[in-house]
Amino acid sequence: MYEWITAVSAWIIPFMIVFIPLYAAYKRVPVYETFIEGAKDGFGTAINIIPHLVGMMVAISMFRASGAMDMMAALIRPLFDGLGIPSEVLPLGLLRPLTGAGSLAFTTELIKTYGPDSMIGRIASTIQGSTDTTLYVLTVYFGAVGIRRSKYALKVGLFSDFVGFFAAIIICLLVFGS
């Protein structure tokens, strides 16, 4: 089974790169012209979301530089320690909804420090795959289509990150032991 999955993984992208243009040609879709038209639309979308991205990056930088993230982590750390949850992953739970690059850098640092097969490394990796960069997603996608009222999407996204964070911890503790 492992060999089969590895083989499929190695060939799926080259297959798609060949299949999509061939199928489009079969359906008589002008592939190059369609690609150029989509690229033009994408460029306009990128220009339109720049102000939203700049605003989000400034807010994240202010949150981290102000020490608010460290204060939140310090308040929650005793609860984690009491529950037997490695408190080293707590900052990742706070960073992940805010920034993909920052949370990936933090995960990389945890894995370098504790190792990929440590409980902390496994939990950090699982959190990275179980949560999303909610604020970035809302900024980019909602900004691209001009949605202004996003409070419900924000609530649902942050709740999903919360559930994903704790589910990742619980599942890793159950599967890999404490």
Side-chain angles (χ1 to χ4, degrees):
M1 181 71 162
Y2 176 78
E3 293 82 19
W4 185 81
I5 291 173
T6 304
V8 169
S9 298
W11 285 100
I12 194 74
I13 292 177
F15 171 78
M16 295 298 284
I17 289 172
V18 171
F19 174 76
I20 291 172
L22 287 176
Y23 184 75
Y26 171 74
K27 290 290 190 175
R28 301 195 191 286
V29 173
V31 177
Y32 184 73
E33 291 80 7
T34 304
F35 173 78
I36 295 299
E37 188 174 322
K40 285 180 187 176
D41 292 344
F43 186 73
T45 300
I47 296 297
N48 289 337
I49 65 171
I50 287 175
H52 301 281
L53 288 173
V54 169
M56 183 196 63
M57 290 176 158
V58 168
I60 290 168
S61 297
M62 289 172 52
F63 176 70
R64 292 177 69 190
S66 71
M69 187 178 82
D70 296 331
M71 288 190 319
M72 286 176 66
L75 286 172
I76 301 170
R77 186 166 275 119
L79 176 65
F80 271 48
D81 292 338
L83 294 172
I85 299 171
S87 59
E88 292 84 356
V89 298
L90 177 59
L92 181 59
L94 298 173
L95 274 177
R96 184 68 177 144
L98 301 174
T99 170
S103 64
L104 183 59
F106 190 80
T107 299
T108 302
E109 193 59 38
L110 286 175
I111 290 172
K112 281 182 185 175
T113 303
Y114 298 100
D117 292 330
S118 67
M119 183 58 73
I120 292 170
R122 288 174 172 163
I123 290 174
S125 298
T126 307
I127 289 169
Q128 196 68 14
S130 302
T131 57
D132 203 353
T133 53
T134 300
L135 296 179
Y136 177 81
V137 168
L138 290 178
T139 300
V140 172
Y141 297 127
F142 282 28
V145 295
I147 295 173
R148 299 279 184 234
R149 293 187 284 175
S150 61
K151 70 179 180 179
Y152 296 115
L154 178 64
K155 289 176 186 177
V156 169
L158 291 177
F159 180 72
S160 298
D161 289 331
F162 180 81
V163 170
F165 177 75
F166 283 104
I169 292 169
I170 292 167
I171 290 169
C172 283
L173 291 174
L174 288 173
V175 171
F176 301 112
S178 54

